[in-house]
Amino acid sequence: MHMKICVLPGDGIGKEIMIQAEKVMARIADLFGHDLEIDHALIGGAAIDEKGVPLPDETIELCSGKDAILLGAVGGPKWDELDKAIRPEKGLLGIRKAFDLFANLRPALLFPELKDASLLRPDIVDKGIDLLVVRELTSGIYFGEPRGEEIRNGRKFAFNTMIYSEDEIERVARVAFEAARKRRSKVCSVDKANVLDVSQLWREIVIETAREYPDVELSHLYVDNAAMQLVRDPSQFDVILTSNLFGDILSDEAAVITGSLGMLPSASMGLKNPALYEPIHGSAPDIAGQDLANPLATILSVAMMFKHSFALDKEAMAIEGAVKDVLEKGFRTGDIMSSGMKQVGCDEMGNLVVQAL
Ligand code: IPM
Ligand code: MG
């Protein structure tokens, strides 16, 4: 298969983890006889430094003709003081919006080899964690208008608008129901319908959409309860469907309870190409450039890309198997290191996965 991919390394550890991901892609292409066409472009702080904006037009143009986008991470203290309109994060929000990537899939999986790294009690972890957060990504309070700051009676006020249309709710709900069908057929929709009008519409439309998926079990939780249930008994969840802001918060929580933030991939997709794949973790400026980063989340994002953008399940499984293999042999980067294991750097971890393929 011919695959057109745009690689956006971004900032911090983004560059070094992306080198490892590209090695893995190249090896898969070799092994399975695919042909990769890869371009590189700037996003985030790296783009601000060179072009003055976090998401240059060239980047959008280069990504436009592609099947998939692979992104490292954006941001760092260097750009924290900038005007909020040109901060690195704007690059990320901009690319989501530019390609209408409304459904963000964030799996949180406990790797049995890394059980000891979980922050939860062993009796909770023993029940397993294997859930998928489906987060709405291009609407809600992140993009709602009006937004801004103004002076009223001589005092400063700032405001955002949490808003959803029924179409926006329905299309992301469908993604969750479809995903559940390929898993354990359960969707838990998370909202704040006891307080917010926008959540009442959310719940109404999710219930309506669910009628077309009678084989999927639907439940609802208020977001505060959901946050609590995630640490009390994460094994109860299969697919969690939620809005942009709640999904931002709950997906970090879901990731950290697995104990392996450095291991988790994500996919952001719309109705057409390109979809975007990125690790869940950030740019980790404190360890950037020191060969300490864990490249596995990005490598597993490549696996998600093969599965979702190219329907190449065998290739995806080969990558997931290779990662498992390397962990089973006891190799760990610093973030997932425990006693008795062999600590390796980012580059060596990448090489080990390539060898395991
Ligand atoms: C995420 C991040 C982003 C978000 C930031 C960096 C804009 O936290 O992808 O979860 O809030 O969506
Ligand atoms: Mg976040």
Side-chain angles (χ1 to χ4, degrees):
M1 190 186 285
H2 185 76
M3 301 182 228
K4 291 185 286 182
I5 297 162
C6 194
V7 168
L8 310 176
D11 309 318
I13 58 171
K15 295 185 181 66
E16 52 208 286
I17 54 182
M18 202 53 84
I19 292 171
Q20 311 315 315
E22 288 196 56
K23 283 186 201 164
V24 170
M25 277 196 276
R27 179 79 182 129
I28 289 281
D30 261 6
L31 285 170
F32 292 84
H34 300 302
D35 148 40
L36 293 174
E37 185 188 318
I38 298 184
D39 278 305
H40 292 83
L42 296 168
I43 194 167
I48 295 173
D49 287 349
E50 263 190 52
K51 309 273 175 187
V53 287
L55 184 62
D57 292 340
E58 298 96 291
T59 299
I60 301 271
E61 267 158 44
L62 208 54
C63 289
S64 292
K66 299 292 185 284
D67 302 310
I69 303 166
L70 197 60
L71 184 119
V74 298
K78 180 173 172 199
W79 305 281
D80 274 352
E81 303 303 316
L82 291 177
D83 183 78
K84 65 178 189 287
I86 53 163
R87 291 191 42 159
E89 290 77 7
K90 281 276 173 197
L92 195 53
L93 298 176
I95 202 162
R96 290 170 180 170
K97 199 69 178 170
F99 295 107
D100 202 15
L101 306 172
F102 64 85
N104 182 212
L105 311 188
R106 299 191 163 184
L109 182 71
L110 181 82
F111 292 80
E113 296 82 6
L114 304 180
K115 236 167 64 180
D116 298 338
S118 173
L119 304 169
L120 299 181
R121 276 199 330 252
D123 61 305
I124 299 175
V125 174
D126 280 343
K127 294 201 251 168
I129 305 175
D130 179 3
L131 61 88
L132 172 69
V133 177
V134 176
R135 167 189 177 195
E136 200 291 326
L137 203 59
T138 50
S139 183
I141 199 166
Y142 270 58
F143 294 94
E145 299 283 345
R147 64 186 298 161
E149 204 183 284
E150 62 188 35
I151 308 284
R152 297 179 191 169
N153 297 329
R155 309 302 298 158
K156 279 189 197 164
F157 284 71
F159 49 91
N160 292 85
T161 302
M162 192 183 265
I163 181 166
Y164 274 108
S165 72
E166 55 181 315
D167 297 342
E168 287 168 338
I169 301 166
E170 184 188 327
R171 65 182 187 170
V172 72
R174 283 189 190 284
V175 173
F177 288 118
E178 299 286 346
R181 278 188 169 159
K182 296 188 193 141
R183 298 171 48 96
R184 300 190 303 279
S185 292
K186 288 199 312 186
V187 170
C188 177
S189 172
V190 173
D191 61 37
K192 190 69 186 171
N194 50 345
V195 177
L196 303 175
D197 298 274
V198 60
S199 282
Q200 280 150 19
L201 181 67
W202 179 277
R203 193 175 282 217
E204 180 188 320
I205 301 300
V206 170
I207 291 172
E208 249 170 49
T209 311
R211 294 207 188 103
E212 288 171 50
Y213 302 86
D215 50 312
V216 178
E217 180 193 319
L218 173 65
S219 60
H220 305 271
L221 284 180
Y222 298 137
V223 62
D224 49 349
N225 189 13
M228 188 262 284
Q229 296 297 338
L230 261 176
V231 289
R232 204 186 64 86
D233 179 17
S235 75
Q236 69 186 285
F237 295 109
D238 180 17
V239 175
I240 294 178
L241 162 65
T242 193
S243 57
N244 206 343
L245 180 63
F246 298 161
D248 177 45
I249 299 165
L250 293 180
S251 64
D252 262 27
E253 190 189 357
V256 82
I257 58 172
T258 69
S260 34
L261 209 51
M263 301 288 304
L264 298 176
S266 77
S268 306
M269 35 236 263
L271 295 173
K272 28 183 224 271
N273 287 344
L276 182 148
Y277 301 86
E278 60 176 317
I280 272 187
H281 61 71
S283 59
D286 50 321
I287 59 162
Q290 299 168 46
D291 195 32
L292 290 172
N294 184 349
L296 295 178
T298 314
I299 290 171
L300 290 168
S301 299
V302 172
M304 273 190 114
M305 176 186 81
F306 282 122
K307 191 175 340 178
H308 294 286
S309 283
F310 301 105
L312 295 173
D313 286 17
K314 259 192 270 164
E315 286 76 347
M317 276 156 64
I319 296 174
E320 286 160 6
V323 168
K324 242 183 137 24
D325 208 53
V326 170
L327 292 176
E328 264 163 26
K329 287 187 187 128
F331 295 106
R332 303 281 189 271
T333 43
D335 57 314
I336 50 173
M337 184 60 191
S338 57
S339 70
M341 299 293 137
K342 289 164 262 192
Q343 187 161 348
V344 298
C346 180
D347 188 58
E348 191 178 353
M349 187 55 108
N351 293 342
L352 286 163
V353 175
V354 169
Q355 282 159 29
L357 282 167

